[in-house]
Structure formats: C-alpha cells, structure tokens
Amino acid sequence: MTTTTKQDHVLIFDTTLRDGEQSPGATMTHEEKLEIAAMLDEMGVDIIEAGFPIASEGDFNAVSEIARNAKNSVICGLSRANFKDIDRNWEAIRHAKRPRIHTFIGTSPLHRAIPNLTMDEMADRIHETVTHARNLCDNVQWSPMDATRTEHDYLCRVVEIAIKAGATTINIPDTVGYTAPRESADLIRMLIDRVPGADEVVFATHCHNDLGMATANSLAAVEAGARQIECTINGLGERAGNTALEEVVMALRVRNDIMPYTTGIDTTKIMGLSRRVATVSGFPVQFNKAIVGKNAFLHESGIHQDGVLKNVETFEIMKPADIGLNEDNIVLGKHSGRAALRSKLGALGIELGQNQLNDVFVRFKDLADRKKEVYDDDLIALVRVTEDATPDRLELKSLKVICGTGGQSADMVMTVDGVEKSASTTGDGPVDASFNAVKEIFPHTAKLELYQVSAVTKGTDAQATVSVRLNEDGRIVTGSNADTDTVVASVKAYIHALNRLLVRRDKVGTNADAREISYKDVS
Ligand code: KIV
Ligand code: ZN
C-alpha cells in the first residue's frame, strides 16, 4: 500500500521515539515508549517512527509491541542500507496493520567516504536494498542522509533509483541543520522537476535545528511540494533537535490563509503530549519555547495584560484551548483527595496505574503539608519522581547538611543493594559536600556533565527541580528530582541518574543502543 496524500494534505511523521530518543540522555523505558506511541496514535499522527529495531533487543521489542498496538497510524522502523537491518526491521513492524520500512544511506561526499563506496557502488547498494525492502513491505521510505549537502546531479540519480526500486516515500533530510528556507524549497522543487517518477511518490522533509531554522525549512519544503513533515514532540532530538511537531502543525493551522494545507492532528492533544514527553525524556521544555513553553501564553507587561483583558486577540494568535492547555486554574492543596488528584492529572494528559497513583498521592500529601498550593508543574515534577519501574539499587536514607560561613559538610546514609552505608564529607558548598558523600558510599567514574536547578513554581516554598547528567565512557544518563529542599533534590537527582546508569550498564552490550551503533554498514 502506498501512502499517498491529497494535494493540500500534509502527512505528519513523528520520530520522537527514534530520532528524538537519540538525544544524549533521553532514554525512555519500554512502557513509556508504548504510552507515547498510543498518545501519538490517538492524536492523529499519520506515521510513527517507533525505533531502530537492529539497535538493541529493547528497541526491537518496543517497535514490535507498538506495531501490534497501533490503531490507526502507520508504524515505521529505521534500518541502514543492508539486508540484515532491513530484515530485523521487518520482523518488528510486520505485526502492524500498516507497516512501513524506512531505510537510509548517507549520500553526501563526507558520508560516502565512511563506508568507502564509489558513487556507482552506492547507487547499486541503494537499488539492492530498496528492492529488498519493497519485496517485504509495500510501504517503503528511503532517505539519502545529508541530502542537503549532496551534489544535485547525484541526488537526482539516487532518488530516481530508489523510486524505480519501489520506494513510495522519498525523505530529504537536512541531517546537520545546514539549509535555509529558500534553499530547502528549491531542493524539493528541483527533485520534483527533474526526477522521473517523482509524481508517483510522496516527498518528505526532515530538518534538524542546528541554526534554529528547522520549522521554517520544513514549511518552505511543503510550499515547494513536500507532503510529509518529519518532526518530534518539543523538537526533541540530537544536538539542537528536530522540527517540533507542535510548531509546524500550529503554524499550518494559524496561517492557513497563506499556507493552505491541512493535517489530521487533533491539536488539543499537543499540551498533554508535550508534558508527557518532557517528563519521560528528562528534557524539560524551555520557558519561552513556541506553543508549549510555560510562558507561551503568559502576559507579564502592563500593556499586554491590559490589551488581553480588553480583547484576547490583541496579543494572542491562538487560544490556549486550541493546544489543550487547561485554563482551569484549580490548585490542589492539603485537603484535596485522590479523585481530585486523578482528575487533575488526567487534565494534564497523565494517566497513572493504581500503584503509581498511590505513590504520587502519598508524595502529593507530603508536599501539600509543606506547601500551601500545589500547582500543575509541582504535580508533573512529582510524577517524574515515581516514573522508573526498575527497583532502585541505590537509595538515600538520610541526609544532614551543615552550611554557612563556617564551611559545609554532609552526613549521609544510603543503601546500596539493600545494605546500609554511611559517609561524612566536606565540600565546596552543600551540594558538593553531599555529592562527595554519594561518591564515597558508591565509588564510580561517571563524570557530572550537567547540573541544573530551576524553581518549578513561585515563592520561597517552591519545589526545586534538579536535573543531573552523567557520562560514563560515553554512556549518558539524566536524573531528576524535585523537592522543596534544593540539596535533597540535588542528591536524589544524582542518585536517580546513577540508578539509571546501573540499569544501562546491565542492559547495554556492544551495538545495544541507537546512539552506540554506527551508521556504517554492518552486512
Ligand atoms: O537526520 C537524518 O538524516 C536522519 C536519517 C536517519 C533519516 O535522521
Ligand atoms: Zn534526523
């Protein structure tokens, strides 16, 4: 089956679970991937790229289960240009009602040099692999990686080969975020004009955001004839990320007068997905991010507030409700019960199983005792703390910190695999002293790459959310925690990251992760 599209309809291809999950530190658990895929399916995403099945057992299992569960979306898996990758991909996605094989190879001079293939050898490889994929599945997407830095004549030649071999979608990636809107449009136009058979396939645009132009480049490609946009929720992705789904979808909706294209996305699901992806990936959304940032609908200056009160359209080009932003400002407090909590979480797009709900409820009550009002972001931070299903090997039991002008020290008790251990340490500040205690109790070589604190709500009793990123021999993990005590949140975030590192040490072998396999051919 070919996924074609009406002239004015743009297909939305979401790659949060593949390209998005490739961002350093953005590991999602199996259950989290299933949950995000179900939300994308319900939102009306046309194609979900669910993972890279050859990368690891975990990726394979997640893609297979997502394929079995999907109700409407096409389920796509990624594979390099070799039979082994493509076969493994097919094994995972074949259970879907609507499977798609995606296969790619780097076609620019820099990328051709890696497998050391001549132009002719690469052309043959593309013919063989796309033919092989098409013999397995009637929906095949082919991508010339780094297309925007590939010689035009060669790009036309290989796109024609892929179409003749049976590709039904041709994706044109701007892998390094190098192009600009006019060039992005010219490239698509050039391919549609020059390549025989171009009118038989859907052209897709896949833009990275290294120069902050991903959304503009994607929309320019659509104006030139592309009819599939590849994107991720919150723009999650390697380096500066990918085109953000919410940006292209809302831009097409709000400026339909000058970009008359439709998508099948239910935009009221955007906020729920954005928050959920931020929670499970550990990548918080920047406050001023278009559409989904915390400040996107806030009016701080007097002139703006005055205008909005008189007529909301003076400073707002879309309504918060259009993206599912809940305007009811119900604030939970210590008298709120389980039902209010469940309903509030539901409005935030968070459905929890009974056990996790109980866990969140206990933490919520504890927080509400210490803090007058519990806001949406406090709750999201609490849910994040209860996320990981694997039992923790390291646990903080108690922490006493002395700080002030006389120096800083920490007395800590932790359990390591159930065994209680303690340490008394000093350091350059209370956080440093506490981190030194963690290192003394559980020696490790992971380097602290990022330590970030933000207050999630207003006031001096606000919860601090702390994110920590650790790197152990290229294995990158993030940990986060929220508490009204910044030092406690810091230590728990550090321990959270270490627990995740231990899980990854256990699971990850050679070639076991999409970030750890090279794009080089393995067949
Ligand atoms: O950015 C890129 O080139 C990719 C390909 C694998 C499609 O993600
Ligand atoms: Zn990409």
Side-chain angles (χ1 to χ4, degrees):
M1 179 214 58
T2 310
T3 303
T4 52
T5 174
K6 282 195 255 128
Q7 264 323 297
D8 62 348
H9 190 77
V10 175
L11 299 168
I12 298 296
F13 176 110
D14 181 278
T15 182
T16 306
L17 297 172
R18 198 280 298 170
D19 217 336
E21 222 235 353
Q22 265 169 244
S23 353
T27 23
M28 299 180 203
T29 65
H30 183 81
E31 284 69 30
E32 287 164 351
K33 288 182 186 173
L34 300 191
E35 186 196 339
I36 298 295
M39 290 172 86
L40 291 168
D41 194 356
E42 205 183 313
M43 177 197 228
V45 161
D46 298 282
I47 304 110
I48 298 173
E49 187 161 54
F52 200 164
I54 194 107
S56 68
E57 279 298 304
D59 248 42
F60 178 87
N61 293 336
V63 177
S64 315
E65 206 167 335
I66 290 168
R68 285 178 210 275
N69 294 350
K71 295 197 173 74
N72 302 307
S73 307
V74 170
I75 300 300
C76 173
L78 183 67
S79 29
R80 291 166 296 185
N82 66 73
F83 287 11
K84 200 168 145 195
D85 266 42
I86 293 170
D87 290 345
R88 187 77 173 143
N89 188 357
W90 176 238
E91 249 185 89
I93 58 164
R94 62 186 304 170
H95 315 288
K97 284 195 196 105
R98 304 168 70 201
R100 172 183 292 188
I101 293 178
H102 182 189
T103 176
F104 76 98
I105 195 162
T107 51
S108 65
L110 283 165
H111 284 270
R112 288 199 302 268
I114 294 175
N116 198 16
L117 293 178
T118 64
M119 282 181 164
D120 288 345
E121 285 165 347
M122 183 165 284
D124 288 346
R125 171 68 62 88
I126 293 163
H127 171 74
E128 284 160 15
T129 49
V130 176
T131 305
H132 182 68
R134 185 59 203 258
N135 285 337
L136 297 169
C137 180
D138 60 7
N139 189 339
V140 173
Q141 170 164 329
W142 180 73
S143 299
M145 185 165 73
D146 207 14
T148 51
R149 293 192 298 170
T150 300
E151 304 89 327
H152 284 189
D153 287 348
Y154 190 58
L155 190 62
C156 287
R157 178 180 167 198
V158 289
V159 167
E160 184 180 349
I161 289 171
I163 294 174
K164 287 212 172 103
T168 46
T169 298
I170 300 292
N171 175 37
I172 302 300
D174 181 30
T175 306
V176 290
Y178 180 70
T179 198
R182 193 182 308 152
E183 189 184 62
S184 170
D186 287 347
L187 188 61
I188 296 288
R189 212 170 280 120
M190 187 273 298
L191 288 165
I192 292 176
D193 286 348
R194 281 182 55 184
V195 176
D199 53 339
E200 301 290 315
V201 296
V202 172
F203 275 87
T205 174
H206 175 115
C207 298
H208 283 264
N209 203 30
D210 299 66
L211 293 173
M213 292 193 280
T215 296
N217 290 338
S218 302
L219 294 172
V222 167
E223 295 200 66
R227 286 294 176 269
Q228 176 177 302
I229 298 179
E230 307 210 352
C231 46
T232 59
I233 301 290
N234 299 339
L236 191 67
E238 289 195 77
R239 307 185 310 278
N242 292 63
T243 299
L245 180 147
E246 61 278 7
E247 291 179 10
V248 284
V249 168
M250 290 312 289
L252 290 177
R253 179 174 161 157
V254 173
R255 294 312 312 272
N256 198 254
D257 53 337
I258 54 164
M259 295 182 286
Y261 311 102
T262 54
T263 73
I265 298 295
D266 174 357
T267 61
T268 64
K269 306 270 189 236
I270 285 179
M271 210 56 213
L273 251 154
S274 164
R275 286 176 159 158
R276 198 65 192 128
V277 167
T279 303
V280 301
S281 67
F283 275 61
V285 175
Q286 81 201 45
F287 286 8
N288 60 340
K289 175 118 180 100
I291 322 288
V292 291
K294 208 177 157 82
N295 290 358
F297 290 91
L298 278 188
H299 304 280
E300 193 71 37
S301 85
I303 295 176
H304 286 212
Q305 284 182 348
D306 190 43
V308 168
L309 287 174
K310 292 190 170 114
N311 177 357
V312 76
E313 285 180 21
T314 50
F315 288 100
E316 274 183 18
I317 56 169
M318 59 200 140
K319 295 189 199 69
D322 294 344
I323 58 156
L325 187 59
N326 194 354
E327 281 177 297
D328 90 63
N329 278 327
I330 303 172
V331 179
L332 298 183
K334 65 177 176 187
H335 301 298
S336 308
R338 211 174 290 254
L341 176 68
R342 189 198 287 275
S343 133
K344 186 75 196 178
L345 290 172
L348 295 172
I350 303 174
E351 300 293 338
L352 301 182
Q354 197 54 45
N355 288 347
Q356 201 183 351
L357 180 72
N358 291 345
D359 192 0
V360 173
F361 187 67
V362 171
R363 288 168 198 266
F364 156 70
K365 281 289 185 188
D366 176 50
L367 181 65
D369 272 342
R370 291 182 282 141
K371 196 170 180 298
K372 278 196 290 297
E373 292 168 328
V374 178
Y375 294 94
D376 292 3
D377 289 321
D378 286 320
L379 285 180
I380 291 167
L382 284 184
V383 171
R384 191 182 295 174
V385 176
T386 64
E387 293 289 293
D388 293 338
T390 322
D392 290 342
R393 289 181 53 193
L394 311 178
E395 206 182 320
L396 179 69
K397 286 293 175 196
S398 69
L399 173 67
K400 206 176 280 166
V401 174
I402 296 175
C403 65
T405 49
Q408 295 82 24
S409 61
D411 288 323
M412 183 180 291
V413 181
M414 262 173 72
T415 51
V416 179
D417 294 323
V419 180
E420 212 162 89
K421 302 190 174 191
S422 59
S424 297
T425 46
T426 56
D428 219 353
V431 174
D432 191 49
S434 307
F435 281 16
N436 285 341
V438 175
K439 279 183 234 157
E440 192 172 310
I441 293 174
F442 183 72
H444 55 271
T445 56
K447 297 220 163 33
L448 180 67
E449 280 197 337
L450 175 107
Y451 169 73
Q452 192 174 296
V453 185
S454 55
V456 291
T457 45
K458 290 175 278 191
T460 48
D461 65 348
Q463 285 200 98
T465 286
V466 178
S467 302
V468 163
R469 186 163 77 210
L470 299 179
N471 185 338
E472 183 192 64
D473 303 329
R475 257 185 225 115
I476 297 170
V477 287
T478 52
S480 60
N481 198 275
D483 199 284
T484 48
D485 183 324
T486 310
V487 183
V488 171
S490 303
V491 170
K492 286 187 175 170
Y494 190 18
I495 293 176
H496 181 210
L498 284 172
N499 276 318
R500 285 183 142 184
L501 188 65
L502 293 174
V503 172
R504 286 198 68 203
R505 266 193 207 160
D506 286 349
K507 282 191 186 158
V508 175
T510 322
N511 280 2
D513 185 291
R515 283 175 296 275
E516 287 164 25
I517 72 171
S518 96
Y519 282 126
K520 220 169 142 184
D521 183 27
V522 291
S523 66

